Amino acid sequence: MRKSVNRPPTPDVAENQEKEPTLQELINIELIESGEKERLMELLRERLIECGWKDEMKALCRAFIKKKGRNNVTVDDLVHVMTPKGRASVPDSVKAELLQRIRTFLVSAAL
Amino acid sequence: MSLPNEENAMSSSPDAQLSSHVFGDLLDSIIVDVASECHRIAKLGLDRNFEEEEEELRLSAQARVRVADPSNSGEANGKYVVDIFGQNHPSVASEVFECMNCGRSIVAGRFAPHLEKCMGKGRKARLKVTRSSTAAQTRNSRGNPASTYSAYSNSNSTNRLSNGASAVAGEEYSNGALEEP
């Protein structure tokens, strides 16, 4: 009998069991489902704008765009330009505040 | 309100690692957002400073050349300025500093024209490009010429009001200090 539908075979149960979700993945799911991730992101965004971090990053991007030419720049380029400096230049107070909130969440989620 | 179990969990490093990982994740997402925003502004040419910068760099370079060349300072102006210390002042101020509005390095002698473009020229003044302002622009431009006309008519009406008021006030304005629109 001809198969009427072309589809890949369903994955084995054995294959599925190998992909046990890591603790990090579980936490991530909990963060997203409870809406806390969104709240944390908004908080971080706000703090980074207040302290001028976003302006610094935009200036970095503008300088890079000027050098490379407006039409040759990809989003990926900009991400690579910003990431090292961006991660390093977050003010300690902002980082501490966010880490504190994350820790609080982890404690409450673990219960 | 901390139970001994909680404290054990919190002091161990995996927990700190987890928090850092989550923080890093959030930061990466925000970096991607900023990147896509800058990319969009660059591609759509919304950065009003972009073309002006090249022009300005050229003019700044010109100004700097003029300043650096000592033979220019007296002859070009026709006068030779000497202050009480016996110092000659260059015709174009040569100090380079940072504009507090856009953060670029500007030659002092070019600062006034730069500010003009940087902060807008009155009628042509445009706000710094942000998501909200571009959203407002697209909202306005999406087919509401009436909204722009109403802005003009408002200003006309306020002028008319002030004219009426001045008529009441009398002679104070009769010397033409108040311009007719």
Side-chain angles (χ1 to χ4, degrees):
Chain A
M1 190 159 103
R2 221 163 27 109
K3 282 194 194 161
S4 54
V5 175
N6 273 347
R7 69 174 209 198
T10 31
D12 284 356
V13 178
E15 277 181 36
N16 272 342
Q17 277 175 350
E18 284 172 25
K19 297 184 203 168
E20 186 97 12
T22 64
L23 182 58
Q24 277 173 354
E25 288 174 357
L26 284 172
I27 295 286
N28 203 28
I29 290 170
E30 182 60 35
L31 271 172
I32 295 174
E33 286 188 352
S34 64
E36 185 66 10
K37 187 163 197 196
E38 190 70 34
R39 284 190 285 270
L40 288 170
M41 249 210 337
E42 285 315 303
L43 176 64
L44 183 56
R45 231 193 284 267
E46 195 182 310
R47 292 283 178 264
L48 289 176
I49 290 176
E50 281 170 6
C51 70
W53 179 91
K54 186 175 179 186
D55 294 326
E56 277 176 35
M57 293 297 114
K58 283 178 90 165
L60 227 76
C61 290
R62 269 204 291 259
F64 179 81
I65 290 170
K66 233 171 24 147
K67 214 174 58 160
K68 208 176 174 210
R70 203 173 87 184
N71 294 316
N72 303 332
V73 176
T74 64
V75 178
D76 220 30
D77 288 339
L78 295 177
V79 170
H80 282 118
V81 162
M82 282 197 284
T83 298
K85 184 114 201 283
R87 281 177 160 248
S89 62
V90 177
D92 289 333
S93 57
V94 174
K95 190 165 184 182
E97 182 181 355
L98 264 294
L99 285 176
Q100 179 57 46
R101 268 192 71 157
I102 293 171
R103 249 180 264 129
T104 310
F105 175 82
L106 288 177
V107 165
S108 69
L111 290 175
Chain B
M1 196 188 101
S2 54
L3 308 168
N5 300 340
E6 279 179 302
E7 293 207 83
N8 283 343
M10 278 179 68
S11 58
S12 64
S13 62
D15 189 86
Q17 227 182 35
L18 213 50
S19 308
S20 291
H21 176 86
V22 171
F23 179 77
D25 209 19
L26 293 172
L27 198 57
D28 284 340
S29 297
I30 290 182
I31 286 178
V32 169
D33 282 349
V34 178
S36 105
E37 193 182 320
C38 285
H39 179 266
R40 172 183 172 267
I41 287 176
K43 293 286 180 170
L44 296 181
L46 291 176
D47 188 356
R48 62 183 164 81
N49 286 331
F50 189 73
E51 287 98 25
E52 292 169 350
E53 262 189 34
E54 284 141 21
E55 170 79 6
E56 251 185 63
L57 285 173
R58 203 171 50 82
L59 292 168
S60 301
Q62 275 182 8
R64 246 173 285 188
V65 164
R66 243 184 291 132
V67 162
D69 187 1
S71 64
N72 268 345
S73 56
E75 292 147 29
N77 288 344
K79 57 178 176 178
Y80 215 81
V81 180
V82 179
D83 69 4
I84 59 172
F85 297 108
Q87 291 173 339
N88 302 318
H89 287 283
S91 53
V92 177
S94 59
E95 184 169 318
V96 179
F97 65 98
E98 196 181 288
C99 168
M100 62 286 297
N101 199 37
C102 64
R104 268 186 266 152
S105 321
I106 307 292
V107 177
R110 299 278 332 155
F111 188 52
H114 162 76
L115 263 192
E116 253 195 326
K117 294 190 194 93
C118 185
M119 302 186 115
K121 294 177 190 173
R123 206 164 75 87
K124 275 186 118 191
R126 290 202 282 163
L127 301 166
K128 264 192 140 42
V129 178
T130 60
R131 207 175 272 148
S132 55
S133 72
T134 50
Q137 278 177 24
T138 48
R139 243 185 289 127
N140 281 339
S141 66
R142 204 177 290 146
N144 246 344
S147 61
T148 42
Y149 286 142
S150 65
Y152 287 133
S153 66
N154 277 341
S155 60
N156 280 342
S157 60
T158 47
N159 283 345
R160 253 180 267 123
L161 279 175
S162 58
N163 285 343
S166 72
V168 172
E171 291 84 41
E172 296 159 36
Y173 295 107
S174 63
N175 62 357
L178 199 60
E179 288 190 318
E180 302 293 302

